[in-house]
mmCIF file of all heavy atoms in Angstrom:
data_model
loop_
_atom_site.group_PDB
_atom_site.id
_atom_site.type_symbol
_atom_site.label_atom_id
_atom_site.label_comp_id
_atom_site.label_asym_id
_atom_site.label_seq_id
_atom_site.Cartn_x
_atom_site.Cartn_y
_atom_site.Cartn_z
ATOM 1 N N ASP A 156 1.523 -1.913 14.945
ATOM 2 C CA ASP A 156 0.080 -2.008 14.688
ATOM 3 C C ASP A 156 -0.172 -2.349 13.221
ATOM 4 O O ASP A 156 -1.017 -3.196 12.876
ATOM 5 C CB ASP A 156 -0.626 -0.723 15.033
ATOM 6 C CG ASP A 156 -0.916 -0.630 16.500
ATOM 7 O OD1 ASP A 156 -0.962 -1.702 17.144
ATOM 8 O OD2 ASP A 156 -1.099 0.476 17.013
ATOM 9 N N GLN A 160 -1.898 -5.727 12.016
ATOM 10 C CA GLN A 160 -3.191 -5.737 11.329
ATOM 11 C C GLN A 160 -3.101 -6.551 10.033
ATOM 12 O O GLN A 160 -3.975 -7.337 9.735
ATOM 13 C CB GLN A 160 -3.592 -4.331 10.958
ATOM 14 C CG GLN A 160 -4.977 -4.393 10.311
ATOM 15 C CD GLN A 160 -5.316 -3.144 9.575
ATOM 16 O OE1 GLN A 160 -5.028 -2.074 10.101
ATOM 17 N NE2 GLN A 160 -5.886 -3.275 8.422
ATOM 18 N N PHE A 163 -1.974 -10.433 11.132
ATOM 19 C CA PHE A 163 -2.624 -11.225 12.147
ATOM 20 C C PHE A 163 -4.105 -10.888 12.291
ATOM 21 O O PHE A 163 -4.952 -11.767 12.193
ATOM 22 C CB PHE A 163 -1.879 -11.010 13.485
ATOM 23 C CG PHE A 163 -2.411 -11.825 14.594
ATOM 24 C CD1 PHE A 163 -2.232 -13.188 14.624
ATOM 25 C CD2 PHE A 163 -3.108 -11.246 15.660
ATOM 26 C CE1 PHE A 163 -2.711 -13.948 15.646
ATOM 27 C CE2 PHE A 163 -3.603 -12.026 16.676
ATOM 28 C CZ PHE A 163 -3.404 -13.375 16.685
ATOM 29 N N TYR A 164 -4.434 -9.621 12.473
ATOM 30 C CA TYR A 164 -5.808 -9.323 12.892
ATOM 31 C C TYR A 164 -6.788 -9.413 11.773
ATOM 32 O O TYR A 164 -7.911 -9.930 11.949
ATOM 33 C CB TYR A 164 -5.888 -7.940 13.522
ATOM 34 C CG TYR A 164 -5.364 -7.915 14.923
ATOM 35 C CD1 TYR A 164 -4.345 -7.056 15.276
ATOM 36 C CD2 TYR A 164 -5.908 -8.694 15.881
ATOM 37 C CE1 TYR A 164 -3.863 -7.019 16.574
ATOM 38 C CE2 TYR A 164 -5.458 -8.696 17.177
ATOM 39 C CZ TYR A 164 -4.432 -7.841 17.525
ATOM 40 O OH TYR A 164 -3.998 -7.843 18.788
ATOM 41 N N GLN A 165 -6.449 -8.907 10.595
ATOM 42 C CA GLN A 165 -7.445 -8.915 9.518
ATOM 43 C C GLN A 165 -7.487 -10.274 8.902
ATOM 44 O O GLN A 165 -6.465 -10.803 8.450
ATOM 45 C CB GLN A 165 -7.086 -7.857 8.480
ATOM 46 C CG GLN A 165 -8.132 -7.732 7.430
ATOM 47 C CD GLN A 165 -7.896 -6.571 6.527
ATOM 48 O OE1 GLN A 165 -6.969 -5.784 6.788
ATOM 49 N NE2 GLN A 165 -8.667 -6.412 5.496
ATOM 50 N N LYS A 166 -8.692 -10.862 8.832
ATOM 51 C CA LYS A 166 -8.766 -12.212 8.287
ATOM 52 C C LYS A 166 -8.853 -12.121 6.759
ATOM 53 O O LYS A 166 -9.727 -11.500 6.194
ATOM 54 C CB LYS A 166 -10.018 -12.916 8.781
ATOM 55 C CG LYS A 166 -9.857 -13.294 10.229
ATOM 56 C CD LYS A 166 -10.830 -14.329 10.655
ATOM 57 C CE LYS A 166 -10.608 -14.577 12.121
ATOM 58 N NZ LYS A 166 -11.782 -15.077 12.794
ATOM 59 N N GLU A 168 -8.238 -14.181 2.885
ATOM 60 C CA GLU A 168 -8.185 -15.511 2.293
ATOM 61 C C GLU A 168 -6.741 -15.929 2.087
ATOM 62 O O GLU A 168 -5.859 -15.127 2.249
ATOM 63 C CB GLU A 168 -8.911 -15.472 0.954
ATOM 64 C CG GLU A 168 -10.319 -15.020 1.076
ATOM 65 C CD GLU A 168 -10.973 -14.945 -0.283
ATOM 66 O OE1 GLU A 168 -10.261 -14.659 -1.239
ATOM 67 O OE2 GLU A 168 -12.169 -15.128 -0.354
ATOM 68 N N GLN A 186 0.584 0.693 4.586
ATOM 69 C CA GLN A 186 0.102 1.229 5.861
ATOM 70 C C GLN A 186 1.213 1.923 6.628
ATOM 71 O O GLN A 186 1.049 2.988 7.147
ATOM 72 C CB GLN A 186 -0.399 0.077 6.746
ATOM 73 C CG GLN A 186 -1.669 -0.547 6.270
ATOM 74 C CD GLN A 186 -2.862 0.217 6.780
ATOM 75 O OE1 GLN A 186 -2.732 1.362 7.145
ATOM 76 N NE2 GLN A 186 -3.980 -0.427 6.818
ATOM 77 N N SER A 189 2.366 5.227 5.024
ATOM 78 C CA SER A 189 1.383 6.328 5.057
ATOM 79 C C SER A 189 1.195 6.839 6.521
ATOM 80 O O SER A 189 1.150 8.048 6.769
ATOM 81 C CB SER A 189 0.050 5.901 4.464
ATOM 82 O OG SER A 189 -0.204 4.591 4.661
ATOM 83 N N ALA A 193 2.453 10.537 7.841
ATOM 84 C CA ALA A 193 1.477 11.478 8.434
ATOM 85 C C ALA A 193 1.901 11.929 9.802
ATOM 86 O O ALA A 193 1.819 13.128 10.134
ATOM 87 C CB ALA A 193 0.091 10.796 8.489
ATOM 88 N N SER A 196 4.804 14.476 9.709
ATOM 89 C CA SER A 196 4.654 15.685 8.890
ATOM 90 C C SER A 196 4.819 16.925 9.739
ATOM 91 O O SER A 196 5.114 17.996 9.200
ATOM 92 C CB SER A 196 3.321 15.708 8.190
ATOM 93 O OG SER A 196 2.298 15.701 9.148
ATOM 94 N N LEU A 197 4.641 16.790 11.038
ATOM 95 C CA LEU A 197 4.838 17.977 11.907
ATOM 96 C C LEU A 197 6.312 18.354 11.981
ATOM 97 O O LEU A 197 6.699 19.502 11.986
ATOM 98 C CB LEU A 197 4.299 17.676 13.323
ATOM 99 C CG LEU A 197 3.966 18.878 14.161
ATOM 100 C CD1 LEU A 197 2.963 19.703 13.433
ATOM 101 C CD2 LEU A 197 3.392 18.431 15.469
ATOM 102 N N ALA A 203 4.549 17.587 4.632
ATOM 103 C CA ALA A 203 3.204 18.120 4.645
ATOM 104 C C ALA A 203 2.787 18.612 3.291
ATOM 105 O O ALA A 203 1.610 18.717 2.979
ATOM 106 C CB ALA A 203 3.110 19.274 5.667
ATOM 107 N N SER A 205 3.845 17.055 0.486
ATOM 108 C CA SER A 205 4.260 16.004 -0.433
ATOM 109 C C SER A 205 3.076 15.361 -1.102
ATOM 110 O O SER A 205 1.936 15.576 -0.758
ATOM 111 C CB SER A 205 5.043 14.940 0.328
ATOM 112 O OG SER A 205 4.149 14.271 1.220
ATOM 113 N N ASP A 208 2.318 8.578 -4.066
ATOM 114 C CA ASP A 208 1.801 7.782 -5.219
ATOM 115 C C ASP A 208 1.810 6.343 -4.853
ATOM 116 O O ASP A 208 2.797 5.817 -4.357
ATOM 117 C CB ASP A 208 2.716 7.958 -6.430
ATOM 118 C CG ASP A 208 2.797 9.361 -6.907
ATOM 119 O OD1 ASP A 208 1.831 10.110 -6.684
ATOM 120 O OD2 ASP A 208 3.840 9.737 -7.446
ATOM 121 N N LEU A 209 0.698 5.652 -5.153
ATOM 122 C CA LEU A 209 0.684 4.171 -4.970
ATOM 123 C C LEU A 209 0.874 3.545 -6.305
ATOM 124 O O LEU A 209 0.109 3.797 -7.249
ATOM 125 C CB LEU A 209 -0.678 3.746 -4.378
ATOM 126 C CG LEU A 209 -0.988 4.199 -2.962
ATOM 127 C CD1 LEU A 209 -2.253 3.525 -2.519
ATOM 128 C CD2 LEU A 209 0.123 3.836 -2.039
ATOM 129 N N ARG A 249 6.726 12.244 -3.576
ATOM 130 C CA ARG A 249 7.276 13.356 -4.392
ATOM 131 C C ARG A 249 7.045 14.652 -3.684
ATOM 132 O O ARG A 249 6.012 14.831 -3.053
ATOM 133 C CB ARG A 249 6.625 13.405 -5.778
ATOM 134 C CG ARG A 249 7.125 12.387 -6.768
ATOM 135 C CD ARG A 249 6.326 12.441 -8.069
ATOM 136 N NE ARG A 249 4.914 12.197 -7.840
ATOM 137 C CZ ARG A 249 3.953 13.097 -8.015
ATOM 138 N NH1 ARG A 249 4.272 14.282 -8.416
ATOM 139 N NH2 ARG A 249 2.731 12.792 -7.751
ATOM 140 N N PHE A 289 9.559 9.531 -17.486
ATOM 141 C CA PHE A 289 8.403 9.829 -16.614
ATOM 142 C C PHE A 289 8.768 9.652 -15.168
ATOM 143 O O PHE A 289 9.405 8.646 -14.830
ATOM 144 C CB PHE A 289 7.275 8.858 -16.989
ATOM 145 C CG PHE A 289 5.931 9.184 -16.469
ATOM 146 C CD1 PHE A 289 5.329 10.364 -16.772
ATOM 147 C CD2 PHE A 289 5.232 8.333 -15.633
ATOM 148 C CE1 PHE A 289 4.094 10.706 -16.311
ATOM 149 C CE2 PHE A 289 4.011 8.655 -15.133
ATOM 150 C CZ PHE A 289 3.413 9.850 -15.485
ATOM 151 N N GLY A 291 6.513 9.786 -12.574
ATOM 152 C CA GLY A 291 5.339 9.410 -11.769
ATOM 153 C C GLY A 291 4.191 10.329 -12.031
ATOM 154 O O GLY A 291 3.054 9.996 -11.772
ATOM 155 N N SER A 292 4.494 11.529 -12.501
ATOM 156 C CA SER A 292 3.416 12.425 -12.941
ATOM 157 C C SER A 292 4.020 13.380 -13.973
ATOM 158 O O SER A 292 5.217 13.441 -14.109
ATOM 159 C CB SER A 292 2.841 13.212 -11.764
ATOM 160 O OG SER A 292 3.732 14.162 -11.352
ATOM 161 N N LYS A 293 3.154 14.063 -14.647
ATOM 162 C CA LYS A 293 3.620 14.864 -15.823
ATOM 163 C C LYS A 293 4.376 16.114 -15.350
ATOM 164 O O LYS A 293 4.470 16.409 -14.186
ATOM 165 C CB LYS A 293 2.425 15.267 -16.661
ATOM 166 C CG LYS A 293 1.804 14.114 -17.336
ATOM 167 C CD LYS A 293 0.749 14.544 -18.319
ATOM 168 C CE LYS A 293 0.019 13.339 -18.863
ATOM 169 N NZ LYS A 293 -1.319 13.538 -19.208
ATOM 170 N N ALA A 295 3.714 19.162 -15.539
ATOM 171 C CA ALA A 295 2.973 20.281 -14.988
ATOM 172 C C ALA A 295 2.798 20.179 -13.479
ATOM 173 O O ALA A 295 2.404 21.119 -12.803
ATOM 174 C CB ALA A 295 1.585 20.360 -15.626
ATOM 175 N N ASP A 296 3.096 19.030 -12.902
ATOM 176 C CA ASP A 296 2.881 18.808 -11.456
ATOM 177 C C ASP A 296 3.894 19.644 -10.649
ATOM 178 O O ASP A 296 5.079 19.569 -10.945
ATOM 179 C CB ASP A 296 3.079 17.319 -11.167
ATOM 180 C CG ASP A 296 2.477 16.939 -9.836
ATOM 181 O OD1 ASP A 296 2.361 17.775 -8.920
ATOM 182 O OD2 ASP A 296 2.090 15.750 -9.697
ATOM 183 N N PRO A 297 3.462 20.378 -9.638
ATOM 184 C CA PRO A 297 4.429 21.135 -8.831
ATOM 185 C C PRO A 297 5.344 20.253 -7.999
ATOM 186 O O PRO A 297 6.443 20.644 -7.712
ATOM 187 C CB PRO A 297 3.551 22.011 -7.934
ATOM 188 C CG PRO A 297 2.195 21.425 -8.016
ATOM 189 C CD PRO A 297 2.070 20.754 -9.280
ATOM 190 N N ARG B 41 -4.262 22.811 -2.035
ATOM 191 C CA ARG B 41 -3.692 21.467 -2.127
ATOM 192 C C ARG B 41 -4.739 20.505 -2.721
ATOM 193 O O ARG B 41 -4.400 19.650 -3.494
ATOM 194 C CB ARG B 41 -3.328 20.971 -0.716
ATOM 195 C CG ARG B 41 -2.148 21.628 -0.172
ATOM 196 C CD ARG B 41 -1.339 20.689 0.622
ATOM 197 N NE ARG B 41 -0.893 19.574 -0.214
ATOM 198 C CZ ARG B 41 -0.418 18.473 0.256
ATOM 199 N NH1 ARG B 41 -0.340 18.273 1.550
ATOM 200 N NH2 ARG B 41 -0.057 17.501 -0.533
ATOM 201 N N HIS B 48 -3.771 16.304 -10.161
ATOM 202 C CA HIS B 48 -2.866 15.180 -10.256
ATOM 203 C C HIS B 48 -3.612 13.916 -10.666
ATOM 204 O O HIS B 48 -3.215 13.175 -11.538
ATOM 205 C CB HIS B 48 -2.152 14.965 -8.921
ATOM 206 C CG HIS B 48 -1.367 13.718 -8.885
ATOM 207 N ND1 HIS B 48 -1.760 12.620 -8.147
ATOM 208 C CD2 HIS B 48 -0.221 13.331 -9.470
ATOM 209 C CE1 HIS B 48 -0.909 11.653 -8.310
ATOM 210 N NE2 HIS B 48 0.066 12.075 -9.098
ATOM 211 N N LEU B 51 -5.370 14.613 -14.377
ATOM 212 C CA LEU B 51 -4.591 15.046 -15.531
ATOM 213 C C LEU B 51 -3.185 14.475 -15.566
ATOM 214 O O LEU B 51 -2.719 14.039 -16.603
ATOM 215 C CB LEU B 51 -4.487 16.597 -15.520
ATOM 216 C CG LEU B 51 -5.757 17.406 -15.472
ATOM 217 C CD1 LEU B 51 -5.412 18.839 -15.321
ATOM 218 C CD2 LEU B 51 -6.542 17.168 -16.703
ATOM 219 N N TRP B 52 -2.462 14.506 -14.436
ATOM 220 C CA TRP B 52 -1.003 14.323 -14.477
ATOM 221 C C TRP B 52 -0.546 12.937 -14.149
ATOM 222 O O TRP B 52 0.649 12.675 -14.166
ATOM 223 C CB TRP B 52 -0.338 15.290 -13.508
ATOM 224 C CG TRP B 52 -0.607 16.704 -13.744
ATOM 225 C CD1 TRP B 52 -0.867 17.314 -14.912
ATOM 226 C CD2 TRP B 52 -0.701 17.696 -12.731
ATOM 227 N NE1 TRP B 52 -1.093 18.670 -14.689
ATOM 228 C CE2 TRP B 52 -0.976 18.898 -13.351
ATOM 229 C CE3 TRP B 52 -0.524 17.699 -11.340
ATOM 230 C CZ2 TRP B 52 -1.132 20.091 -12.682
ATOM 231 C CZ3 TRP B 52 -0.675 18.872 -10.649
ATOM 232 C CH2 TRP B 52 -0.977 20.061 -11.319
ATOM 233 N N ASP B 53 -1.446 12.036 -13.780
ATOM 234 C CA ASP B 53 -0.944 10.811 -13.118
ATOM 235 C C ASP B 53 -0.311 9.814 -14.106
ATOM 236 O O ASP B 53 0.419 8.944 -13.669
ATOM 237 C CB ASP B 53 -2.114 10.150 -12.399
ATOM 238 C CG ASP B 53 -1.657 8.965 -11.605
ATOM 239 O OD1 ASP B 53 -0.626 9.103 -10.912
ATOM 240 O OD2 ASP B 53 -2.275 7.919 -11.668
ATOM 241 N N THR B 54 -0.612 9.927 -15.365
ATOM 242 C CA THR B 54 -0.189 8.858 -16.243
ATOM 243 C C THR B 54 0.620 9.437 -17.419
ATOM 244 O O THR B 54 0.484 10.631 -17.771
ATOM 245 C CB THR B 54 -1.401 8.110 -16.817
ATOM 246 O OG1 THR B 54 -0.965 7.264 -17.866
ATOM 247 C CG2 THR B 54 -2.382 9.100 -17.375
ATOM 248 N N ALA B 55 1.453 8.613 -18.022
ATOM 249 C CA ALA B 55 2.208 9.044 -19.176
ATOM 250 C C ALA B 55 1.349 9.134 -20.430
ATOM 251 O O ALA B 55 1.732 9.744 -21.391
ATOM 252 C CB ALA B 55 3.383 8.120 -19.443
ATOM 253 N N GLU B 56 0.152 8.508 -20.392
ATOM 254 C CA GLU B 56 -0.771 8.658 -21.513
ATOM 255 C C GLU B 56 -1.424 10.034 -21.460
ATOM 256 O O GLU B 56 -1.203 10.798 -20.540
ATOM 257 C CB GLU B 56 -1.846 7.590 -21.487
ATOM 258 C CG GLU B 56 -1.313 6.187 -21.459
ATOM 259 C CD GLU B 56 -2.310 5.291 -20.738
ATOM 260 O OE1 GLU B 56 -3.491 5.695 -20.612
ATOM 261 O OE2 GLU B 56 -1.895 4.218 -20.275
ATOM 262 N N VAL B 57 -2.315 10.294 -22.425
ATOM 263 C CA VAL B 57 -2.901 11.608 -22.488
ATOM 264 C C VAL B 57 -3.919 11.817 -21.341
ATOM 265 O O VAL B 57 -3.851 12.803 -20.641
ATOM 266 C CB VAL B 57 -3.620 11.796 -23.850
ATOM 267 C CG1 VAL B 57 -4.339 13.092 -23.857
ATOM 268 C CG2 VAL B 57 -2.593 11.739 -24.918
ATOM 269 N N GLU B 70 -6.984 8.131 -2.843
ATOM 270 C CA GLU B 70 -5.752 8.037 -2.017
ATOM 271 C C GLU B 70 -5.174 9.384 -1.719
ATOM 272 O O GLU B 70 -4.719 9.673 -0.611
ATOM 273 C CB GLU B 70 -4.704 7.220 -2.779
ATOM 274 C CG GLU B 70 -5.022 5.773 -2.990
ATOM 275 C CD GLU B 70 -5.063 5.008 -1.682
ATOM 276 O OE1 GLU B 70 -4.415 5.463 -0.733
ATOM 277 O OE2 GLU B 70 -5.788 4.000 -1.616
ATOM 278 N N ARG B 77 -4.876 12.631 6.206
ATOM 279 C CA ARG B 77 -3.977 12.004 7.214
ATOM 280 C C ARG B 77 -2.879 12.976 7.639
ATOM 281 O O ARG B 77 -2.403 12.931 8.779
ATOM 282 C CB ARG B 77 -3.305 10.808 6.554
ATOM 283 C CG ARG B 77 -3.768 9.506 7.120
ATOM 284 C CD ARG B 77 -2.739 8.455 6.818
ATOM 285 N NE ARG B 77 -2.508 8.343 5.430
ATOM 286 C CZ ARG B 77 -2.922 7.373 4.673
ATOM 287 N NH1 ARG B 77 -3.653 6.424 5.228
ATOM 288 N NH2 ARG B 77 -2.682 7.324 3.415
ATOM 289 N N LEU B 78 -2.468 13.887 6.745
ATOM 290 C CA LEU B 78 -1.416 14.819 7.124
ATOM 291 C C LEU B 78 -1.870 15.753 8.222
ATOM 292 O O LEU B 78 -1.062 16.391 8.885
ATOM 293 C CB LEU B 78 -0.951 15.613 5.927
ATOM 294 C CG LEU B 78 -0.107 14.845 4.924
ATOM 295 C CD1 LEU B 78 0.193 15.684 3.729
ATOM 296 C CD2 LEU B 78 1.143 14.349 5.539
ATOM 297 N N GLY B 81 -0.705 15.635 12.002
ATOM 298 C CA GLY B 81 0.375 16.393 12.646
ATOM 299 C C GLY B 81 -0.236 17.351 13.667
ATOM 300 O O GLY B 81 0.332 17.602 14.716
ATOM 301 N N MET B 90 -6.787 3.352 11.410
ATOM 302 C CA MET B 90 -6.105 2.402 10.540
ATOM 303 C C MET B 90 -7.049 2.065 9.377
ATOM 304 O O MET B 90 -8.220 1.814 9.583
ATOM 305 C CB MET B 90 -5.776 1.122 11.321
ATOM 306 C CG MET B 90 -4.877 0.183 10.648
ATOM 307 S SD MET B 90 -3.235 0.823 10.389
ATOM 308 C CE MET B 90 -2.564 0.699 12.022
ATOM 309 N N LEU B 91 -6.526 2.038 8.182
ATOM 310 C CA LEU B 91 -7.310 1.679 7.016
ATOM 311 C C LEU B 91 -7.244 0.170 6.813
ATOM 312 O O LEU B 91 -6.170 -0.409 6.927
ATOM 313 C CB LEU B 91 -6.746 2.344 5.790
ATOM 314 C CG LEU B 91 -7.265 3.705 5.375
ATOM 315 C CD1 LEU B 91 -6.621 4.093 4.064
ATOM 316 C CD2 LEU B 91 -8.724 3.671 5.214
ATOM 317 N N ARG B 93 -8.175 -2.567 3.828
ATOM 318 C CA ARG B 93 -8.625 -2.709 2.482
ATOM 319 C C ARG B 93 -9.120 -4.139 2.281
ATOM 320 O O ARG B 93 -8.775 -5.039 3.035
ATOM 321 C CB ARG B 93 -7.494 -2.451 1.487
ATOM 322 C CG ARG B 93 -7.053 -1.010 1.569
ATOM 323 C CD ARG B 93 -5.720 -0.854 0.925
ATOM 324 N NE ARG B 93 -5.097 0.332 1.437
ATOM 325 C CZ ARG B 93 -5.193 1.505 0.845
ATOM 326 N NH1 ARG B 93 -5.818 1.660 -0.281
ATOM 327 N NH2 ARG B 93 -4.579 2.578 1.397
ATOM 328 N N ARG B 96 -14.072 -7.808 4.393
ATOM 329 C CA ARG B 96 -15.346 -8.561 4.222
ATOM 330 C C ARG B 96 -16.216 -8.394 5.412
ATOM 331 O O ARG B 96 -15.806 -8.392 6.526
ATOM 332 C CB ARG B 96 -15.031 -10.041 4.072
ATOM 333 C CG ARG B 96 -14.304 -10.330 2.828
ATOM 334 C CD ARG B 96 -14.057 -11.797 2.680
ATOM 335 N NE ARG B 96 -13.600 -12.007 1.297
ATOM 336 C CZ ARG B 96 -14.385 -12.243 0.306
ATOM 337 N NH1 ARG B 96 -15.678 -12.361 0.511
ATOM 338 N NH2 ARG B 96 -13.919 -12.359 -0.905
ATOM 339 N N GLN B 167 -15.620 -11.470 12.881
ATOM 340 C CA GLN B 167 -15.168 -12.556 12.005
ATOM 341 C C GLN B 167 -14.056 -12.074 11.105
ATOM 342 O O GLN B 167 -13.253 -12.841 10.644
ATOM 343 C CB GLN B 167 -16.337 -12.929 11.063
ATOM 344 C CG GLN B 167 -17.371 -13.829 11.698
ATOM 345 C CD GLN B 167 -16.937 -15.260 11.635
ATOM 346 O OE1 GLN B 167 -16.368 -15.642 10.644
ATOM 347 N NE2 GLN B 167 -17.181 -16.009 12.668
ATOM 348 N N CYS B 168 -14.072 -10.792 10.839
ATOM 349 C CA CYS B 168 -13.021 -10.274 9.940
ATOM 350 C C CYS B 168 -11.795 -9.845 10.700
ATOM 351 O O CYS B 168 -10.700 -10.018 10.237
ATOM 352 C CB CYS B 168 -13.607 -9.110 9.150
ATOM 353 S SG CYS B 168 -12.439 -8.544 7.924
ATOM 354 N N PHE B 169 -12.020 -9.299 11.860
ATOM 355 C CA PHE B 169 -10.854 -8.959 12.679
ATOM 356 C C PHE B 169 -10.873 -9.836 13.924
ATOM 357 O O PHE B 169 -11.877 -10.054 14.535
ATOM 358 C CB PHE B 169 -10.956 -7.480 13.146
ATOM 359 C CG PHE B 169 -10.815 -6.537 12.009
ATOM 360 C CD1 PHE B 169 -11.896 -5.873 11.510
ATOM 361 C CD2 PHE B 169 -9.579 -6.278 11.445
ATOM 362 C CE1 PHE B 169 -11.776 -5.001 10.441
ATOM 363 C CE2 PHE B 169 -9.418 -5.408 10.433
ATOM 364 C CZ PHE B 169 -10.543 -4.760 9.921
ATOM 365 N N ARG B 170 -9.740 -10.266 14.347
ATOM 366 C CA ARG B 170 -9.677 -11.123 15.543
ATOM 367 C C ARG B 170 -9.857 -10.322 16.809
ATOM 368 O O ARG B 170 -9.778 -9.085 16.809
ATOM 369 C CB ARG B 170 -8.334 -11.832 15.577
ATOM 370 C CG ARG B 170 -8.157 -12.797 14.465
ATOM 371 C CD ARG B 170 -7.098 -13.752 14.813
ATOM 372 N NE ARG B 170 -6.396 -14.105 13.609
ATOM 373 C CZ ARG B 170 -5.630 -15.159 13.512
ATOM 374 N NH1 ARG B 170 -5.407 -15.930 14.537
ATOM 375 N NH2 ARG B 170 -4.997 -15.440 12.363
ATOM 376 N N GLY B 172 -9.115 -8.588 20.232
ATOM 377 C CA GLY B 172 -7.947 -7.906 20.730
ATOM 378 C C GLY B 172 -7.427 -6.889 19.721
ATOM 379 O O GLY B 172 -6.400 -6.244 19.934
ATOM 380 N N TYR B 173 -8.139 -6.708 18.611
ATOM 381 C CA TYR B 173 -7.712 -5.731 17.622
ATOM 382 C C TYR B 173 -7.878 -4.337 18.242
ATOM 383 O O TYR B 173 -8.971 -3.969 18.647
ATOM 384 C CB TYR B 173 -8.630 -5.899 16.417
ATOM 385 C CG TYR B 173 -8.271 -5.029 15.260
ATOM 386 C CD1 TYR B 173 -6.992 -4.883 14.815
ATOM 387 C CD2 TYR B 173 -9.274 -4.359 14.572
ATOM 388 C CE1 TYR B 173 -6.710 -4.104 13.705
ATOM 389 C CE2 TYR B 173 -9.010 -3.596 13.477
ATOM 390 C CZ TYR B 173 -7.721 -3.462 13.049
ATOM 391 O OH TYR B 173 -7.463 -2.702 11.965
ATOM 392 N N TYR B 175 -7.954 -1.331 16.984
ATOM 393 C CA TYR B 175 -8.755 -0.331 16.293
ATOM 394 C C TYR B 175 -10.125 -0.956 16.021
ATOM 395 O O TYR B 175 -10.418 -1.360 14.935
ATOM 396 C CB TYR B 175 -8.110 0.056 14.925
ATOM 397 C CG TYR B 175 -6.734 0.591 15.097
ATOM 398 C CD1 TYR B 175 -5.645 -0.244 15.089
ATOM 399 C CD2 TYR B 175 -6.533 1.964 15.231
ATOM 400 C CE1 TYR B 175 -4.386 0.287 15.240
ATOM 401 C CE2 TYR B 175 -5.284 2.489 15.389
ATOM 402 C CZ TYR B 175 -4.198 1.626 15.364
ATOM 403 O OH TYR B 175 -2.960 2.123 15.487
#
Side-chain angles (χ1 to χ4, degrees):
Chain A
D156 278 339
Q160 183 197 318
F163 184 70
Y164 282 123
Q165 184 171 354
K166 287 198 183 156
E168 302 177 329
Q186 290 276 19
S189 33
S196 61
L197 201 57
S205 67
D208 298 331
L209 293 188
R249 279 176 301 113
F289 194 60
S292 72
K293 292 188 186 150
D296 198 332
Chain B
R41 289 218 59 196
H48 171 254
L51 305 173
W52 302 327
D53 185 45
T54 170
E56 303 151 19
V57 174
E70 293 294 335
R77 250 201 303 254
L78 287 177
M90 191 65 75
L91 269 185
R93 294 164 203 265
R96 293 182 169 270
Q167 281 277 322
C168 185
F169 293 104
R170 294 199 213 196
Y173 184 47
Y175 301 89

